[in-house]
Amino acid sequence: IKNSSFLDIELIFFEKNYFYWTAAEKVLTRNLKNSNPSWVIICNNDIIIKTKTFFNDLYKLDGKHYNVIGPKIINKERINLNPFMLKPLTTFRRFYWYVYFRSFYFSILLRFFSNIKGSMNLYKAQEEIKKVYAVHGSAIIFSNFFFKKGGKLDTGFKMFCEELTTAEISKKIGCEIFYYPKLELLHNEHTSTKNANSKDLFLFAKKSHHYFLNKYINK
């Protein structure tokens, strides 16, 4: 793809696995010193851009207003993964995650019921542009205003915490996060983790969740 494309593509390799968010941060630290892009898109390798006008539509937006953007992200089940969270964690949601991470088997049961609820909302359109607390981590779009205000990627975890850490960092520096459904992506979920041990993924998520609570919530 690199050899046949008219785009300027740079491939960056690491000798160890830094996982998604930390690897992205290392690339950003290296490249933002030498350039000042209007927008930075950090996304999984299983994201497909749905429309030919995606980048033109993005460049028309005012980054000083739309500091961080979550596009409409449609998965294989036709479920829209955004907006990820409209508001910060409530007491009830914190209790839900407390129960969820008490046991690997509790997590399976709760995830089963959550999937049923998600399938019931399969065709519920989310077409309104709105300010939200957090957007889905499979594709987050940052304006250069976010970085100019001191925004950064938190790398204190391995997996599954990019949404909430980005939300709290944005809140701290006075940046706003928007769900913007006019930008649409397709997400072939779990392409990279489909062969991973599910219990290992659970333990990664549990550790990341505790990290988030201790750093941003339980102060």
Side-chain angles (χ1 to χ4, degrees):
I1 293 173
K2 173 180 170 65
N3 292 336
S4 62
S5 176
F6 65 91
L7 297 174
D8 181 14
I9 298 175
E10 181 181 6
L11 303 177
I12 299 174
F13 299 91
F14 298 110
E15 292 184 358
K16 62 175 287 186
N17 183 4
Y18 287 108
F19 296 89
Y20 174 39
W21 213 239
T22 297
E25 192 278 333
K26 288 183 176 295
V27 173
L28 272 179
T29 299
R30 168 179 165 173
N31 284 276
L32 288 181
K33 292 178 181 178
N34 305 317
S35 63
N36 184 32
S38 299
W39 298 96
V40 171
I41 303 174
I42 301 177
C43 66
N44 291 173
N45 63 344
D46 48 14
I47 287 290
I48 299 171
I49 296 175
K50 184 174 173 62
T51 62
K52 293 181 179 180
T53 62
F54 183 92
F55 292 107
N56 287 334
D57 293 340
L58 175 60
Y59 278 117
K60 290 176 184 177
L61 299 181
D62 181 1
K64 289 185 178 180
H65 177 69
Y66 296 106
N67 311 144
V68 181
I69 294 174
K72 180 191 291 186
I73 304 174
I74 305 299
N75 68 7
K76 290 183 294 185
E77 287 74 35
R78 304 302 300 166
I79 295 173
N80 185 4
L81 303 179
N82 267 327
F84 186 73
M85 288 177 63
L86 295 175
K87 297 180 180 179
L89 285 173
T90 61
T91 301
F92 173 79
R93 292 303 294 178
R94 288 180 64 180
F95 177 73
Y96 170 91
W97 289 113
Y98 172 79
V99 174
Y100 183 94
F101 287 120
R102 289 289 291 175
S103 160
F104 174 61
Y105 299 103
F106 271 150
S107 73
I108 295 174
L109 183 64
L110 290 174
R111 198 159 58 243
F112 171 76
F113 287 114
S114 294
N115 289 340
I116 292 177
K117 182 181 178 182
S119 64
M120 293 171 65
N121 294 326
L122 193 61
Y123 300 107
K124 186 175 289 186
Q126 293 277 356
E127 300 298 336
E128 178 187 351
I129 299 171
K130 63 177 70 175
K131 186 164 62 173
V132 299
Y133 171 67
V135 289
H136 199 273
S138 59
I140 301 180
I141 306 171
F142 298 89
S143 77
N144 60 9
F145 186 76
F146 172 83
F147 300 107
K148 289 178 179 178
K149 288 276 288 185
K152 61 181 181 179
L153 307 188
D154 189 332
T155 60
F157 58 94
K158 286 186 176 180
M159 299 174 70
F160 306 129
C161 204
E162 56 272 11
E163 296 96 347
L164 299 184
T165 54
T166 296
E168 287 297 319
I169 290 170
S170 297
K171 184 168 67 173
K172 181 178 179 180
I173 64 176
C175 282
E176 295 182 331
I177 300 177
F178 283 86
Y179 166 57
Y180 198 87
K182 293 183 179 180
L183 298 173
E184 186 171 341
L185 300 171
L186 300 179
H187 183 23
N188 187 19
E189 284 186 283
H190 310 309
T191 299
S192 298
T193 58
K194 63 183 178 181
N195 295 322
N197 182 283
S198 57
K199 191 164 187 179
D200 288 342
L201 295 178
F202 168 79
L203 293 174
F204 275 135
K206 180 177 181 179
K207 189 173 182 179
S208 295
H209 184 71
H210 288 166
Y211 168 81
F212 169 75
L213 291 178
N214 291 332
K215 182 170 182 178
Y216 295 99
I217 306 300
N218 301 330
K219 295 181 179 180

